[in-house]
Amino acid sequence: MTRTVVVGAGQLGPVRREDSRDSVVERLIVLVEEGASQGCQLVVFPELALTSFFPRWAIEDPRELDAWFETEMPGPATKALFDVAAERGVGFCLGYAELTPDGHRYNSQILVERDGSVVGIFRKVHLPGHEEIEPWRPFQHLERRYFEPGPDGFGVWRSFGGVVGMMICNDRRWPETYRVMGLQGAELILCGYNTPRHYPPDPSQDPLQGFHNALVMQSGAYQNGTWVVGVAKGGTEEGVEMLAESCIIAPSGQIVAAAATAGDELVVASCDLDRCAHYKETLFDFERYRMIEHYGLITSRRGAIAPDPPEETS
Amino acid sequence: MTRTVVVGAGQLGPVRREDSRDSVVERLIVLVEEGASQGCQLVVFPELALTSFFPRWAIEDPRELDAWFETEMPGPATKALFDVAAERGVGFCLGYAELTPDGHRYNSQILVERDGSVVGIFRKVHLPGHEEIEPWRPFQHLERRYFEPGPDGFGVWRSFGGVVGMMICNDRRWPETYRVMGLQGAELILCGYNTPRHYPPDPSQDPLQGFHNALVMQSGAYQNGTWVVGVAKGGTEEGVEMLAESCIIAPSGQIVAAAATAGDELVVASCDLDRCAHYKETLFDFERYRMIEHYGLITSRRGAIAPDPPEETS
């Protein structure tokens, strides 16, 4: 049995505030069709793919906020995507804002098999940004106001012939994200993101956004012996330049395919899941080499605590 | 008060099996003198810097093995290094094989302040390689035979005006290493290494050794907002090509200084410890953003356990 999954990273250019779900779903379907014609079993879309990245706006009216969320998946607008994908035998992974029947709001990502069945839903754990509206910013990043952190952590699912995990945007910057999935045997980690090139709290990071994006996904892939698929929104969306730079990373940490544009683009790579064993069974044989007796602070201490400074001598 | 530390990465070329400690210490002193003339407050040397990398040999005679270890620090051969460094006001970090009075053997690294006082000793936690002699290998990697893992884990020390941590060689490949020190406020992590370019268990990794070396240290620096100093042995040592590629990495993850040779070479960078705050107080404000409730597997599970495969349908 082959363990190769042909994956397409379905990058999106900007989505305008006034764009309808239907118009975005049409774009997603174009990418699914392109994936089908290139032999993809799986097409991965960005975080919050169905709309503009609305946490950049201060939204005070609860009904206006609700309008950015999906209450069912598939719903009226996304059913066409589910139908075409199942018809073409292409699985997909889609980021969206989820409003649950009992009123919880998550930044979510759904994984759908080639036959249209839902494999699982991941809800973003590491919410970046801020809770309160901060007028000094050129644009807001109110994820911590509009979403709750995902309560389920980082699971994995047997699908596409391997062990598949998911993470969303800022989750990828934290090594714990990959490690928790690596400890469950993850071979393919799917990540949608919306990363502005400008980071208002520290603009010295702006020119490094692309470097940091690759660095965290490449090291997470290598250190856990897993494929990683990072899928962006790109271009200037409602005045904010988005990172783009979608890419597919091998268990060696090498980028094997990358976007050449900042717009709608399908980046395809053939991912041999058996390559994971090169790392999982040698240098990163966790059972043999991990030293958990010395990792205690990672789970017992949330914030950093430096040792006391030396006493002043008078 | 300035918080800038001028650091020299004191890379070494090959050390032959028959080279005396004295001859190596002479080379270390040359690097300390060079550091002093370039304004270094700290010079960092490689792992097991005083001898050839002896775990590559099967050593059956206990007395022959003992001869590779130091029983005191400073000892007869290293006293000259301590003396010159203190005289010049240069601190240093030195890797050596440690045999304790009660008979424990560690792969250790000592940190010495500018006045010659010992700041602390770190003992390597993640021992790579194998316990038994494996004749199929072109050279052995018997660290797991000759050393015990360091019992103290990853501490940090207030010194050189900041919070300094240490790690050795293979420790740098594990994100937990940096994170445990990051949770103690580390601002400068010192790492000596001896990395052969050839990895017998999986030679497909050989052409990637330099990439992997940089990748793990750059991501560890960035994800914890700390400087990292990686110091190698280089060149062909007793028939084995060693990686070299010593470098100094900023809290941004950028390599700011790197070796240009595979021989004895001092790589100098001015490390402003206040740059760490750019990351520690924004994107990687641990107290604000870490989600320890979802990291449990990292400390509770040593090896990877994948979910059960789907049942065969008959």
Side-chain angles (χ1 to χ4, degrees):
Chain A
M1 188 186 83
T2 175
R3 293 237 299 150
T4 294
V5 188
V6 182
V7 179
Q11 176 176 284
L12 288 180
V15 176
R16 290 171 304 178
R17 188 164 186 162
E18 68 269 28
D19 286 342
S20 68
R21 302 299 204 269
D22 288 338
S23 71
V24 177
V25 166
E26 274 176 35
R27 291 162 63 183
L28 302 181
I29 288 174
V30 168
L31 291 164
V32 164
E33 297 277 12
E34 190 178 333
S37 73
Q38 292 194 44
C40 290
Q41 286 116 294
L42 172 61
V43 171
V44 183
F45 296 114
E47 177 190 31
L48 301 176
L50 298 169
T51 66
S52 202
F53 185 72
F54 65 88
R56 75 167 64 90
W57 294 300
I59 302 165
E60 313 258 27
D61 176 350
R63 271 172 312 179
E64 187 188 336
L65 184 62
D66 280 355
W68 295 100
F69 283 75
E70 313 303 311
T71 53
E72 45 182 339
M73 189 59 63
T78 45
K79 186 166 184 310
L81 171 65
F82 277 73
D83 289 347
V84 171
E87 194 179 297
R88 303 301 303 258
V90 176
F92 66 92
C93 178
L94 176 73
Y96 63 101
E98 178 187 14
L99 176 55
T100 67
D102 54 345
H104 293 288
R105 295 169 192 280
Y106 301 114
N107 187 339
S108 300
Q109 207 171 257
I110 192 168
L111 180 61
V112 178
E113 258 287 7
R114 288 154 282 189
D115 63 0
S117 62
V118 173
V119 175
I121 295 173
F122 167 75
R123 292 160 179 129
K124 187 172 182 174
V125 169
H126 295 93
L127 295 174
H130 45 110
E131 293 83 359
E132 302 304 324
I133 295 161
E134 297 183 358
W136 64 269
R137 292 176 182 251
F139 51 88
Q140 302 295 301
H141 200 119
L142 289 165
E143 286 190 60
R144 293 170 76 87
R145 185 179 187 87
Y146 300 147
F147 300 113
E148 293 166 63
D152 307 316
F154 298 99
V156 300
W157 292 267
R158 281 216 174 258
S159 54
F160 297 92
V163 180
V164 180
M166 292 190 271
M167 61 185 180
I168 299 177
C169 197
N170 182 50
D171 287 320
R172 78 194 187 287
R173 299 190 194 270
W174 300 85
E176 292 90 346
T177 296
Y178 306 85
R179 185 61 101 222
V180 170
M181 290 189 272
L183 284 164
Q184 299 169 81
E187 297 172 311
L188 177 63
I189 295 178
L190 312 176
C191 179
Y193 63 90
N194 271 283
T195 301
R197 284 195 183 266
H198 177 49
Y199 180 59
D202 178 23
S204 79
Q205 299 178 30
D206 294 0
L208 304 175
Q209 289 289 355
F211 164 60
H212 288 155
N213 176 56
L215 180 65
V216 293
M217 294 196 291
Q218 292 182 275
S219 57
Y222 167 62
Q223 290 171 323
N224 294 280
T226 178
W227 292 87
V228 172
V229 181
V231 189
K233 265 207 248 147
T236 303
E237 187 180 90
E238 297 293 345
V240 178
E241 198 190 345
M242 307 298 280
L243 180 58
E245 305 199 12
S246 301
C247 60
I248 299 177
I249 298 163
S252 62
Q254 292 169 289
I255 294 174
V256 296
T261 76
D264 289 18
E265 179 181 351
L266 191 74
V267 176
V268 177
S270 180
C271 303
D272 178 358
L273 302 184
D274 286 332
R275 288 203 61 77
C276 299
H278 277 262
Y279 293 87
K280 290 184 193 292
E281 294 177 5
T282 65
L283 203 59
F284 298 128
D285 177 343
F286 288 171
E287 180 65 34
R288 181 165 167 76
Y289 292 119
R290 291 184 78 242
M291 298 295 287
I292 60 175
E293 55 273 48
H294 296 300
Y295 303 160
L297 281 187
I298 294 172
T299 47
S300 67
R301 180 181 286 186
R302 184 179 172 101
I305 303 174
D308 287 335
E311 281 182 41
E312 299 285 333
T313 50
S314 57
Chain B
M1 187 187 82
T2 176
R3 292 236 300 147
T4 293
V5 187
V6 182
V7 179
Q11 178 175 284
L12 288 181
V15 176
R16 289 170 304 178
R17 187 164 187 163
E18 68 269 26
D19 285 344
S20 68
R21 298 307 201 263
D22 288 339
S23 71
V24 177
V25 167
E26 275 176 35
R27 292 162 62 183
L28 302 180
I29 288 174
V30 167
L31 291 164
V32 164
E33 297 277 13
E34 189 178 335
S37 73
Q38 293 194 41
C40 290
Q41 286 116 294
L42 173 61
V43 171
V44 184
F45 295 114
E47 178 190 30
L48 301 176
L50 297 169
T51 66
S52 202
F53 185 73
F54 64 88
R56 75 167 66 91
W57 294 301
I59 301 165
E60 312 258 25
D61 175 351
R63 274 173 311 181
E64 186 188 337
L65 184 62
D66 279 356
W68 295 100
F69 284 74
E70 313 303 311
T71 54
E72 45 183 339
M73 187 60 61
T78 45
K79 187 167 184 313
L81 172 66
F82 277 72
D83 289 347
V84 172
E87 193 180 297
R88 304 300 304 260
V90 176
F92 66 92
C93 179
L94 175 73
Y96 63 101
E98 177 188 16
L99 176 56
T100 68
D102 54 345
H104 294 286
R105 296 170 191 279
Y106 302 114
N107 187 338
S108 299
Q109 206 170 256
I110 192 169
L111 180 61
V112 178
E113 257 288 6
R114 288 154 284 190
D115 63 0
S117 62
V118 173
V119 175
I121 294 174
F122 168 74
R123 294 164 178 126
K124 186 173 183 174
V125 169
H126 295 93
L127 295 174
H130 45 110
E131 294 82 1
E132 302 304 324
I133 295 162
E134 298 184 357
W136 64 269
R137 292 177 183 251
F139 52 87
Q140 302 294 303
H141 200 118
L142 288 165
E143 287 191 60
R144 294 171 75 87
R145 186 182 188 86
Y146 300 148
F147 300 113
E148 293 165 64
D152 309 316
F154 298 98
V156 299
W157 292 268
R158 280 214 175 260
S159 54
F160 298 91
V163 180
V164 180
M166 292 190 271
M167 61 185 180
I168 299 178
C169 198
N170 182 48
D171 287 320
R172 76 194 188 287
R173 300 189 193 270
W174 300 86
E176 291 89 348
T177 296
Y178 306 85
R179 184 62 102 223
V180 170
M181 290 189 272
L183 284 164
Q184 299 169 82
E187 297 172 311
L188 177 62
I189 295 178
L190 312 176
C191 179
Y193 62 90
N194 272 283
T195 300
R197 284 194 184 266
H198 176 49
Y199 180 60
D202 178 24
S204 79
Q205 298 178 32
D206 294 0
L208 304 174
Q209 289 289 355
F211 164 60
H212 288 156
N213 176 57
L215 180 64
V216 293
M217 293 196 291
Q218 291 183 276
S219 57
Y222 167 61
Q223 290 172 322
N224 294 280
T226 178
W227 291 86
V228 172
V229 181
V231 189
K233 268 208 245 139
T236 303
E237 187 179 90
E238 297 294 345
V240 178
E241 198 190 344
M242 307 299 279
L243 181 58
E245 305 199 12
S246 301
C247 60
I248 299 178
I249 298 163
S252 62
Q254 293 169 288
I255 295 173
V256 297
T261 75
D264 288 18
E265 179 182 349
L266 191 74
V267 176
V268 176
S270 179
C271 304
D272 177 358
L273 302 184
D274 286 332
R275 288 204 60 77
C276 299
H278 277 264
Y279 292 87
K280 289 184 192 294
E281 294 178 4
T282 64
L283 202 59
F284 297 129
D285 176 343
F286 289 171
E287 180 65 33
R288 180 165 168 75
Y289 292 120
R290 290 183 79 241
M291 299 293 289
I292 59 174
E293 55 273 48
H294 296 300
Y295 302 160
L297 281 187
I298 293 172
T299 47
S300 66
R301 180 182 287 186
R302 184 178 171 100
I305 303 174
D308 287 333
E311 282 182 40
E312 299 285 331
T313 49
S314 57

